[in-house]
Amino acid sequence: MNRGLILKFENLVQLRGACWQLRTLSYRKVYRAQWKPVQSSAHPVSSLLLYPQFWQKDKLISVALSQHRHLATKEEAKKKKKKIPLTKGEVEIRQKMTVEELARAMGKDIDHIYEALLYTDLDLHSLEPYSILHEDIIKLVVKKSGMKYKSAKLKEEKERENTDAVKRQVVDYPAVLTPRPPVVTILGHVDHGKTTLLDSLRKTQVASMEAGGITQHIGAFLVHLPSGEKITFLDTPGHAAFSAMRARGTHVTDIVILVVAAEDGVMEQTIESIQHAKNAGVPLILAINKCDKPEADPERVKKELLAHDVVCEEFGGDVQAVNISALKGENLMVLAEATVALAEMLELKADSTGLVEGTVIESRKDKGKGPVTTAIIQRGTLRKGCVLVAGKTWAKVRFMFDENGKAVDAASPGIPVEIMGWKEVPSAGDEILEVESEQRAHEVVAWRTYVEQQERMKRDVEVIEAKQKEHRMEYEKKQQKLAHLTWRQRKAVLYKANKHLMFSKPRERTEVDKNVLSVIVKGDVDGSVEAILNILDSYDADDECKLDIIHFGMGDISETDISLAESFNGVVFGFSVKANESIKQLAAKKGIKIKLHSIIYKLIEDLKDELNSRLPPSVVENTIGEASVLNIFSVTVGKNKIPVAGCRVQKGLLDKKMSFKLLRNGDVIWKGSLSSLKHHKDDVQVIKTGMDCGLSLDKHVEFNIGDEIICYEEKEVQQTTSWDPGF
């Protein structure tokens, strides 16, 4: 009896040892493992040495009784020799750490980490000592261990020396400063005659060459007056889309000529132009155009402008007002003299020596010339061979041209000039600075690129931290919901929640979302692209159809644009650019749409049509007839009683082929088709207004006296986008 009990006891101890080994294996998967015996005080050997025959009979059982076994690697043996650093309740953590690194940082063994990870939704069976844990899990493990954490400091990068180019100090020596032509910006509402005014001043046909008679981008011109004076004019677009260009024009100008049509008065872009001039602190001259028309009312214009703090001289203000007719050339010299007089009062002078400073008015990529900019020089004298920096690009000036395309050797302050030699196209509005050498230009560009990267990284870190905080809050809410469950129950709940993901197969090809319009925008100049992008930024109908701008740039449509459009199932929009025959053939072969326009509002209308085509059609119910239920009875068909409604058609007609619905107190009770429609005892297809009929439905529905039967047909109607670009 005693021997039987001892045998059973031995078997139980052996089973316990095996279970302990399995538990160890499940928490520690270590390759190239070796067994190491360790003396255990929990199961002393002395209790079994009383029976040496069992020790001799089965050595494996006795070892299991006397000793525990655990897995150990060579690496673990080395670590045991080293003393684990004791942490004083604070752990230095990083965004990503392995299980092993976290254990070392906390001064704990790996088993402790595994036990703490039981409180998370991680799959412990897939974890290895070298598995990477993310920051939210690391923080949770440290908290569960009763410790605090602090973020590890990154190695501080040596502060980089600022090598940016800056403007020279302003000098006010009369001997150095020389008179310069005034820079005059012409502002006003679209189609109020700004380009026609410049056309008359320059005696050229600029207006007739504009697409649709609308200025599409900014232009800089030097006008020579009969008196010998020179004035640099900036002709800015008046269209609503080009607000940024008008603002840029006022920041490089000395005087603003506000053109207002005498018959239209103050309009939306007129008010905006006044605001731009005020923001830039630039004086105004009022030019009331189209005074030759019979409906012209210049006095009304002056009074309307009083509401916007533009007070003319005759009302006691300081704004000169000139009535003109740009088309017939009336009073243009009076306007020019008023401009020159105001310029003399401003005493416009500049330093024409030293390093050049200027502003990019417009930039584009020319097929023959490469990157080209229109610029106004503000200090110094620009010559061939000068090394310039603008934004994150630089140039060694190869050629310079005036507004008529004639090559010039030098450009002094106040003179507009077209510059060739840029490595990349700078952005309109960028500051131009001359530097000593090409090496210095490289240093400046490198510094500006570095600063932009640092700013971008800072923004990215802020976004990442916000996302991490959001995910951490979601995780904590999830944990709170499962807090009352045991870890086994939590595992079961998480398994059920994620079961559908385990059996889902990755799609071989991503389906194209029909509710996304991917567009590529190409323009002739930087300002035009900027204007289009500003309009697209106002898009606010993502819930209907997502608008995705995958690429934008300057120049003609290229093969790269077509390949990109093919990848994203997109549409290529070109503004004042071309697509040669080979590109058109390639696009047609790949099924890519190319939309070319020279007027901006037509481009936006075309884009809206593309958005509309991406929207699913809406189903509209067109009512054909209405009938009211006057009586209710039932008909026996076989063993079934079918409810029948006695109706009278009040409006239109009832057609059995159409769809029907049953209304009760304004609520729809049923929708479907009729199973029968009878007039007296005859089956009919149509019942007209005023006639009585009996009808039954394709579904068993009880009628009430007073119910309404509506006969209707469904039509699909194309939806239109709710986005309003503002014009």
Side-chain angles (χ1 to χ4, degrees):
M1 183 67 181
N2 290 336
R3 284 187 181 180
L5 286 171
I6 290 168
L7 283 170
K8 286 181 181 179
F9 179 68
E10 287 174 356
N11 290 336
L12 285 170
V13 172
Q14 183 183 8
L15 180 62
R16 185 184 181 282
C19 289
W20 192 92
Q21 291 171 21
L22 287 171
R23 178 178 174 276
T24 306
L25 282 169
S26 67
Y27 287 115
R28 290 165 157 189
K29 295 179 180 179
V30 184
Y31 298 102
R32 298 177 184 176
Q34 59 183 0
W35 292 98
K36 280 195 174 184
V38 176
Q39 182 68 35
S40 173
S41 59
H43 304 283
V45 184
S46 57
S47 61
L48 289 176
L49 290 178
L50 298 171
Y51 303 95
Q53 64 272 26
F54 297 112
W55 175 261
Q56 298 295 331
K57 187 177 179 181
D58 194 347
K59 289 184 179 180
L60 180 62
I61 295 172
S62 62
V63 169
L65 289 167
S66 62
Q67 299 172 341
H68 281 307
R69 293 170 178 162
H70 78 284
L71 290 170
T73 60
K74 291 180 181 179
E75 287 81 9
E76 284 182 337
K78 288 177 183 176
K79 284 172 198 169
K80 279 195 170 184
K81 292 177 184 177
K82 297 177 183 178
K83 289 184 179 180
I84 298 174
L86 296 173
T87 54
K88 296 179 181 179
E90 194 170 50
V91 184
E92 196 175 74
I93 64 168
R94 298 190 302 277
Q95 284 188 344
K96 291 181 181 180
M97 296 177 77
T98 63
V99 175
E100 198 173 33
E101 287 171 346
L102 180 57
R104 200 180 308 128
M106 292 175 64
K108 305 284 186 180
D109 58 11
I110 292 178
D111 275 347
H112 175 86
I113 306 300
Y114 282 127
E115 287 173 17
L117 289 172
L118 289 173
Y119 294 95
T120 68
D121 56 354
L122 291 180
D123 182 13
L124 299 185
H125 296 286
S126 64
L127 280 179
E128 306 283 353
Y130 49 80
S131 297
I132 293 174
L133 302 176
H134 291 278
E135 189 177 16
D136 53 347
I137 301 294
I138 293 168
K139 288 179 179 178
L140 187 65
V141 170
V142 175
K143 281 183 181 178
K144 290 292 180 185
S145 304
M147 298 180 176
K148 294 180 180 179
Y149 57 81
K150 64 176 182 180
S151 298
K153 291 182 180 178
L154 298 173
K155 291 181 181 178
E156 293 184 3
E157 188 179 346
K158 289 183 179 178
E159 192 174 344
R160 192 163 172 176
E161 186 183 353
N162 188 338
T163 56
D164 200 4
V166 292
K167 281 186 173 183
R168 291 181 286 148
Q169 288 185 346
V170 178
V171 292
D172 199 13
Y173 303 124
V176 177
L177 301 177
T178 55
R180 64 169 178 83
V183 179
V184 180
T185 301
I186 299 180
L187 297 178
H189 192 73
V190 62
D191 201 30
H192 273 202
K194 298 181 301 301
T195 303
T196 308
L197 172 58
L198 264 182
D199 175 39
S200 299
L201 288 168
R202 297 173 61 221
K203 303 296 181 186
T204 59
Q205 294 298 315
V206 177
S208 62
M209 292 188 293
E210 292 278 11
I214 300 172
T215 305
Q216 307 285 336
H217 47 74
I218 198 167
F221 313 101
L222 185 66
V223 175
H224 297 264
L225 300 178
S227 61
E229 300 286 344
K230 295 178 184 177
I231 303 175
T232 296
F233 282 100
L234 298 184
D235 180 23
T236 59
H239 198 275
F242 299 97
S243 175
M245 286 194 196
R246 288 192 292 276
R248 188 160 57 243
T250 56
H251 282 98
V252 296
T253 194
D254 304 309
I255 300 168
V256 166
I257 293 180
L258 182 65
V259 179
V260 184
E263 82 277 20
D264 289 339
V266 176
M267 303 291 281
E268 186 181 347
Q269 272 74 58
T270 310
I271 299 167
E272 186 195 89
S273 300
I274 294 168
Q275 196 59 47
H276 286 320
K278 285 181 179 177
N279 293 341
V282 179
L284 278 170
I285 294 176
L286 177 61
I288 304 174
N289 194 20
K290 303 184 182 181
C291 288
D292 55 316
K293 289 191 174 184
E295 62 270 23
D297 189 356
E299 294 304 316
R300 179 174 68 90
V301 173
K302 294 175 186 177
K303 289 174 183 176
E304 285 179 355
L305 288 170
L306 289 172
H308 304 286
D309 296 328
V310 177
V311 185
C312 298
E313 287 178 338
E314 60 189 84
F315 295 135
D318 56 357
V319 177
Q320 299 179 74
V322 183
N323 298 342
I324 63 168
S325 171
L327 191 64
K328 294 185 177 180
E330 294 175 1
N331 278 350
L332 295 188
M333 292 316 300
V334 177
L335 178 63
E337 286 168 7
T339 306
V340 172
L342 183 56
E344 286 176 356
M345 288 174 61
L346 295 173
E347 295 183 352
L348 300 172
K349 294 183 179 182
D351 179 9
S352 58
T353 61
L355 297 176
V356 172
E357 295 173 12
T359 302
V360 177
I361 299 299
E362 195 55 273
S363 58
R364 71 180 194 279
K365 189 173 280 187
D366 190 277
K367 197 170 184 179
K369 298 177 181 178
V372 176
T373 62
T374 300
I376 286 185
I377 308 305
Q378 291 162 316
R379 291 177 76 184
T381 302
L382 183 65
R383 294 183 174 84
K384 286 184 185 179
C386 288
V387 180
L388 307 177
V389 174
K392 295 188 296 298
T393 186
W394 65 281
K396 187 172 183 179
V397 180
R398 290 165 50 206
F399 296 101
M400 293 183 294
F401 304 93
D402 62 13
E403 72 275 7
N404 297 315
K406 184 181 177 183
V408 293
D409 295 325
S412 54
I415 303 295
V417 67
E418 197 172 73
I419 303 169
M420 277 179 60
W422 295 96
K423 303 302 175 185
E424 299 290 339
V425 181
S427 298
D430 279 350
E431 184 182 66
I432 296 175
L433 297 174
E434 184 184 358
V435 292
E436 297 81 3
S437 63
E438 292 183 24
Q439 183 181 353
R440 176 78 181 108
H442 283 294
E443 289 177 2
V444 173
V445 171
W447 168 257
R448 291 179 178 181
T449 306
Y450 167 75
V451 170
E452 187 185 56
Q453 287 173 348
Q454 294 300 308
E455 289 174 355
R456 192 185 300 122
M457 283 173 63
K458 189 178 178 181
R459 290 194 299 269
D460 290 346
V461 167
E462 288 173 358
V463 172
I464 290 167
E465 286 178 351
K467 284 286 182 186
Q468 284 179 341
K469 187 178 180 181
E470 184 184 334
H471 291 160
R472 190 158 51 247
M473 289 173 68
E474 287 178 8
Y475 176 75
E476 287 173 358
K477 285 179 184 176
K478 193 175 176 183
Q479 288 298 107
Q480 286 174 3
K481 287 179 183 178
L482 304 175
H484 64 284
L485 303 175
T486 64
W487 73 273
R488 287 183 185 278
Q489 289 171 331
R490 281 202 299 272
K491 291 280 283 183
V493 170
L494 292 169
Y495 173 77
K496 285 179 183 177
N498 300 323
K499 188 177 179 182
H500 65 285
L501 299 174
M502 296 170 65
F503 302 103
S504 62
K505 296 179 181 179
R507 296 179 181 180
E508 292 180 5
R509 184 175 180 179
T510 306
E511 292 181 5
V512 178
D513 191 349
K514 290 182 180 178
N515 282 351
V516 175
L517 175 61
S518 300
V519 297
I520 294 171
V521 178
K522 297 298 286 289
D524 55 341
V525 294
D526 182 67
S528 300
V529 176
E530 178 191 31
I532 294 168
L533 294 180
N534 284 342
I535 296 170
L536 300 187
D537 279 344
S538 69
Y539 184 74
D540 55 0
D542 277 336
D543 54 330
E544 298 171 353
C545 178
K546 187 180 177 184
L547 181 63
D548 191 9
I549 303 165
I550 55 176
H551 176 65
F552 60 87
M554 287 168 284
D556 291 341
I557 311 299
S558 66
E559 191 174 333
T560 307
D561 299 326
I562 303 301
S563 301
L564 200 57
E566 183 187 21
S567 302
F568 288 89
N569 190 31
V571 181
V572 181
F573 286 90
F575 181 74
S576 296
V577 295
K578 298 176 182 177
N580 59 40
E581 282 303 316
S582 62
I583 295 295
K584 288 179 180 177
Q585 289 172 7
L586 179 65
K589 185 179 177 182
K590 294 186 176 184
I592 303 301
K593 294 179 185 176
I594 299 177
K595 309 276 189 171
L596 301 178
H597 294 277
S598 56
I599 300 175
I600 196 163
Y601 63 80
K602 289 188 177 179
L603 183 146
I604 300 302
E605 284 175 3
D606 203 347
L607 189 138
K608 285 179 72 175
D609 290 340
E610 281 295 325
L611 286 167
N612 294 339
S613 68
R614 293 292 202 281
L615 300 177
S618 59
V619 178
V620 177
E621 293 181 358
N622 183 24
T623 302
I624 295 171
E626 297 176 6
S628 55
V629 178
L630 304 178
N631 202 357
I632 304 165
F633 51 94
S634 60
V635 175
T636 303
V637 178
K639 295 182 180 180
N640 299 323
K641 284 190 175 183
I642 299 172
V644 175
C647 304
R648 179 170 294 161
V649 180
Q650 305 291 347
K651 187 179 177 182
L653 56 88
L654 304 186
D655 190 339
K656 190 180 177 182
K657 294 182 290 184
M658 297 298 173
S659 300
F660 287 80
K661 59 183 175 181
L662 176 64
L663 300 183
R664 184 172 298 157
N665 298 325
D667 298 327
V668 178
I669 304 299
W670 162 89
K671 275 188 174 185
S673 58
L674 300 182
S675 59
S676 69
L677 179 64
K678 292 192 177 187
H679 180 60
H680 299 304
K681 292 184 179 180
D682 301 325
D683 289 320
V684 292
Q685 289 294 320
V686 176
I687 298 291
K688 296 181 180 178
T689 305
M691 295 176 66
D692 294 336
C693 65
L695 56 85
S696 59
L697 312 180
D698 61 355
K699 187 179 178 182
H700 184 85
V701 177
E702 294 295 334
F703 294 103
N704 288 345
I705 294 173
D707 287 351
E708 290 182 74
I709 306 290
I710 308 295
C711 175
Y712 67 94
E713 62 176 343
E714 292 182 342
K715 287 185 177 180
E716 287 189 349
V717 178
Q718 182 60 54
Q719 291 189 69
T720 56
T721 179
S722 61
W723 173 49
D724 181 14
F727 56 87

